[in-house]
Amino acid sequence: MGQKKIGIMVSGRGSNMQAIIEASRDPNYPARVELVISNREEAPALEKAWKENIEGVFIPGIGREWERKVLDLINEHGIELLCLAGFMRVLSPEFLAQAPPVMNIHPSLLPAFPGLNAQKQAIEHGVKISGCTVHFVDSGVDSGPIILQKGVEVNQDDDEEELAERILRIEHQLYPRAVELWARDQLEIEGRKVRIKEEKGHG
Ligand code: GRF
């Protein structure tokens, strides 16, 4: 089976992008990163993509014009799934209507602590368990149908960095897994719910 082409949208470090790239080195992994798009020229993720010989593009600008350029580029490359990975912009409903499916990873157990500084929000709230969520993107902030979640314990002396680091380790497992499920056609959206189907050929 061929690998489906995915695009990754970034604004920063790119460790989740890197985790997906590493997963896709396995010839049995059903997707490969074809294109990386950044809205920030200085995003370290771009350099990481270039090192992997993946086309990494900084697209300047804002608003509909910016989104139009992104859509043109992803169409040119035949991108079938867009993964937001540390991408710090909200995409418009018009963009989402025209784009392929879009996924995001968020460092909390949604619907708790959407938006910025999720790990800090979790610590300040005093929760005992937090984690990460991969979800499909809708026009809200971190509000779309949930694909996968995994929890981690919050230790009472954790600071934001320690918790972020513990969550990041599981993000790097969860995001490639969610992409894999999508690429194997195992995800079915029913309203707010994402059902995970058995892999074809396994009953
Ligand atoms: C991750 O914590 C992700 O959950 C959030 O932004 C951070 C991005 O990190 N959306 P990286 O750029 O993937 O290293």
Side-chain angles (χ1 to χ4, degrees):
M1 185 183 67
Q3 290 182 309
K4 292 193 175 157
K5 293 180 185 175
I6 64 174
I8 303 198
M9 293 176 69
V10 295
S11 303
R13 177 177 57 182
S15 71
N16 278 289
M17 173 200 78
Q18 188 79 41
I20 296 170
I21 292 172
E22 272 158 32
S24 70
R25 289 207 178 102
D26 179 343
N28 294 318
Y29 190 78
R32 75 185 149 91
V33 181
E34 179 75 15
L35 177 68
V36 172
I37 295 173
S38 176
N39 66 322
R40 280 183 59 230
E41 193 165 21
E42 64 279 20
L46 277 178
E47 205 140 319
K48 287 183 177 147
W50 299 333
K51 275 199 188 123
E52 301 284 347
N53 289 318
I54 292 170
E55 182 163 347
V57 186
F58 160 59
I59 302 185
I62 49 165
R64 280 302 287 151
E65 201 188 315
W66 185 85
E67 290 187 337
R68 186 74 260 153
K69 288 183 198 161
V70 172
L71 285 170
D72 287 348
L73 197 61
I74 62 184
N75 288 337
E76 249 167 58
H77 282 261
I79 299 300
E80 295 162 273
L81 173 74
L82 272 181
C83 295
L84 310 186
F87 176 68
M88 304 301 287
R89 262 187 200 176
V90 176
L91 297 165
S92 74
E94 294 76 21
F95 177 93
L96 294 171
Q98 293 171 66
V102 185
M103 277 185 197
N104 182 40
I105 187 154
H106 183 75
S108 75
L109 294 177
L110 291 170
F113 316 128
L116 293 175
N117 305 319
Q119 303 94 334
K120 184 160 178 262
Q121 292 184 55
I123 287 179
E124 285 175 355
H125 197 90
V127 293
K128 307 290 186 187
I129 295 178
S130 192
C132 63
T133 304
V134 182
H135 63 93
F136 284 113
V137 171
D138 64 11
S139 53
V141 174
D142 302 322
S143 58
I146 291 170
I147 303 166
L148 292 175
Q149 290 188 303
K150 195 164 178 167
V152 299
E153 286 195 18
V154 181
N155 301 330
Q156 51 193 3
D157 299 323
D158 272 346
D159 62 22
E160 194 185 333
E161 285 69 38
E162 286 165 321
L163 180 60
E165 174 55 39
R166 193 167 323 113
I167 293 175
L168 196 64
R169 281 202 290 272
I170 58 169
E171 292 185 37
H172 295 163
Q173 301 164 8
L174 216 64
Y175 213 169
R177 179 67 188 138
V179 170
E180 181 177 12
L181 288 169
W182 169 84
R184 294 196 196 283
D185 286 325
Q186 284 180 261
L187 301 181
E188 206 167 64
I189 307 183
E190 293 170 5
R192 271 222 56 89
K193 294 187 186 163
V194 179
R195 177 177 296 281
I196 299 174
K197 300 184 288 184
E198 289 287 315
E199 202 175 340
K200 280 198 196 95
H202 292 262

